[in-house]
Structures are given as C-alpha cells and as structure tokens.
Amino acid sequence: MSDIRKLLMLLSDGEFHSGEALGAALGISRAGAWKRLQGLEALDIPVESVKGLGYRLPGGLSLLREDAISAAMSSDARQKLHAVYVVDEIDSTNRFLLDRPVGRREACLAERQTAGRGRRGRVWFSPYGRNLYLSLSWTFHQGVAAVQGLSLAVGVAVAQGLHSLGLSNLSLKWPNDLLWQDRKLGGVLIELSGDAAGECKVVVGIGLNVSMSELPAEQLRTQIGQPWADLKTAGLVCDRNILSAEILNRLVGLLDGYHERGFDHYRTSWQELNAHSGRTVELLTPATSVSGVMLGVTSEGALLLGTELGVREFTGGEISVRGGNDR
Ligand code: BTN
C-alpha cells in the first residue's frame, strides 16, 4: 500500500490527528509526515491544519476498498468475476485489463488515473478519490458481432443502477454519454482485443463524476471543457463502494446474457432515456455534419435521424445540440 493511501486511511475519519501520531503510525518522522501531507495537497485533497490539534480532512473521505465492494455485490456477480482489483493510482483501468490474459472476467477500479482514456482519443479527467473509474473485462466467443450496441446497453445499465440508488432526471446522449440536466455526468469507453471473428476480450470502462465541485473552478474548466455534473450536485450522496457494487452487479448481468439478448432487448429502455428524442440535432463526423430530428436508435444501436433526405442511419459521430451539451 502506498504511503499516500496509508495516510488517507488514517485521516479518512475526518478527525484531527497530530503530525507526531501520523508519523508514528506510518513509521516515519513528524517532518516526514508533514511532507506527505503536502503531497495530498498536490492531489487536490484539502487538508485542514489547526495549531495544537493537528491535521484533518474536513468531512472525511471514503476510500474504495475491495472488501467493501465485494460485500455489497450480489453473490451471483461475485461468483461470475474472477477478481476485483482496487488500486490507488494507475494510468488507465481499461489499459490494465486489456493487458491481462484473455478468458478472465475481472474488474479494476482506481482512485486516480494518470492517463484516463476518453472516447476519440480524449483524456478522461481523473482526480484522486472524487469519482468512479471502473473497468470490467469479459470474453465473448462469438466475435465482435456479438457486442454490437453494447456501449448503448451499458449506458442503460448504469442509468438504471443510478436510478435504483435514488437519482432522477438522468438521460442518455447517443451513443452512451450519461447526462444530468443536459450536463455530462459520465461516459463509457469500450475497447476490444483478440479475434474479431472468434474469442475476443471486451473491456467496458465507465467514468462517473461523483463529487468534483470542491476542485478549483479553473482546473475543472480547462480539464473538462464542457458542461458537467456530478452525483453530489444531482442530489445523490452515496458511498463509492456501494455505487461500484451496484454498477458491477448491473454490468455482470448485462455482459453475461448479451450474446443471446443483443441490444434489441435494451432498445426500448434506451429510447425512454434518450436525451434528445424529437429534438433537432447536428451529427458531427470527421468528414461532415448532418442536421436532423433525433428519432431514436435501431435494434443494433445505430442512430436514426430524420433529415431532409429522409430517415438515415448512422453508426458513428457525435451529437451536438445548439445551446446544449456540446461534445
Ligand atoms: C467518454 O469519453 O465519454 C468515455 C470516458 C470513459 C472513462 C473511463 S474511466 C475508467 C475507464 N478507464 C479509462 O481509461 N477510461 C474509462
């Protein structure tokens, strides 16, 4: 366990701890403890220091814990997963699982990602301990055709999980952004490796904003660059371990039956959550842009747009709405 994590575990109760006590618990000097406390500030974790009392994290901090996640998971999901890895820091939880052997069903969660991957080669902002960075790997034996529309179905599964925990007014932006009041709350990145026609590994990566409002506004503006929301703003306060377990339960159920059910099974639910149903949108592709009315999705998850040339289907591109969420 890293020194930073040990320190955070000591401070997670939100109570004051003297530099001396922290040093003793870590097996280092008081000056060493002070240095590590400074390290927390560099991770944008606010430490309060009061003379005579010591140091504390206002409000405490709930860290991700493998045992807490496993305990909150359904026995079915637990049995179907070979492992759940909880790490303090990693480049990308998706990258980690992509590099693991094929055939294993594993989850990886991190407190922080140093090179979090977003769609279209973007960087996913991944500050320490504030959000959820969760990946799940699964093996399909029927080739990539079996996972058509999966990213949209993942959006439905996560939205339903959040709804069951008490979140309302959630919607989905094609293909799979999670929105709250037209602001981005989370995203899904699916990456594949293996044989396109046979055994292939699918890594489902989910980034979900949980509580970021305490970070400096300028940092959020430059790092995110679009209207965003987090669960806290949306009124859902939930321990991240419980949240992780809920999402893993839903994803395991989804992935386990997906080769038989396909996206068609989730299509109606997706359309009920469609943020732009009946609205005029612009579909941006690297080559062109097409304007039309968002009509819904096909049974494979393709976008249906009512354009001047009639109803057209699209499998790639990004939706943009004037005056709305723009990425
Ligand atoms: C998007 O651009 O909307 C998708 C973002 C997906 C981010 C998640 S965070 C966990 C997993 N690991 C990554 O590197 N990316 C995904």
Side-chain angles (χ1 to χ4, degrees), residues 105-276:
R105 297 185 295 271
E106 300 178 322
C108 178
L109 298 100
E111 292 290 7
R112 172 176 190 243
Q113 295 184 118
T114 53
R117 301 177 182 177
R119 289 178 63 229
R120 304 187 155 248
R122 294 182 186 115
V123 172
W124 187 256
F125 180 50
S126 309
Y128 193 100
R130 304 197 173 262
N131 298 326
L132 217 60
Y133 319 116
L134 177 159
S135 297
L136 180 62
S137 66
W138 210 264
T139 300
F140 284 83
H141 300 278
Q142 306 80 8
V144 290
V147 297
Q148 215 172 27
L150 178 64
S151 69
L152 280 81
V154 167
V156 171
V158 176
Q160 289 176 340
L162 293 174
H163 187 75
S164 75
L165 292 170
L167 186 66
S168 44
N169 297 325
L170 200 68
S171 60
L172 293 173
K173 174 183 169 185
W174 187 87
N176 50 23
D177 281 358
L178 283 141
L179 303 185
W180 184 77
Q181 293 193 347
D182 266 352
R183 293 185 268 154
K184 187 154 171 169
L185 181 69
V188 179
L189 176 71
I190 294 197
E191 297 187 85
L192 304 166
S193 75
D195 183 353
E199 188 178 73
C200 67
K201 186 205 283 185
V202 174
V203 174
V204 175
I206 293 165
L208 190 62
N209 301 334
V210 177
S211 170
M212 290 203 294
S213 344
E214 302 84 358
L215 290 175
E218 179 59 14
Q219 184 186 22
L220 290 165
R221 199 182 55 75
T222 52
Q223 298 281 347
I224 303 182
Q226 67 170 318
W228 62 273
D230 59 15
L231 293 179
K232 193 174 170 190
T233 319
L236 178 64
V237 176
C238 178
D239 183 278
R240 288 182 305 137
N241 294 298
I242 303 291
L243 194 60
S244 306
E246 178 64 33
I247 291 176
L248 285 173
N249 288 345
R250 303 257 170 187
L251 289 183
V252 168
L254 166 72
L255 289 163
D256 197 34
Y258 199 74
H259 67 285
E260 281 165 359
R261 295 194 194 113
F263 176 68
D264 202 30
H265 183 81
Y266 300 92
R267 184 179 173 207
T268 307
S269 304
W270 194 94
Q271 304 207 124
E272 282 166 7
L273 289 160
N274 184 356
H276 300 117

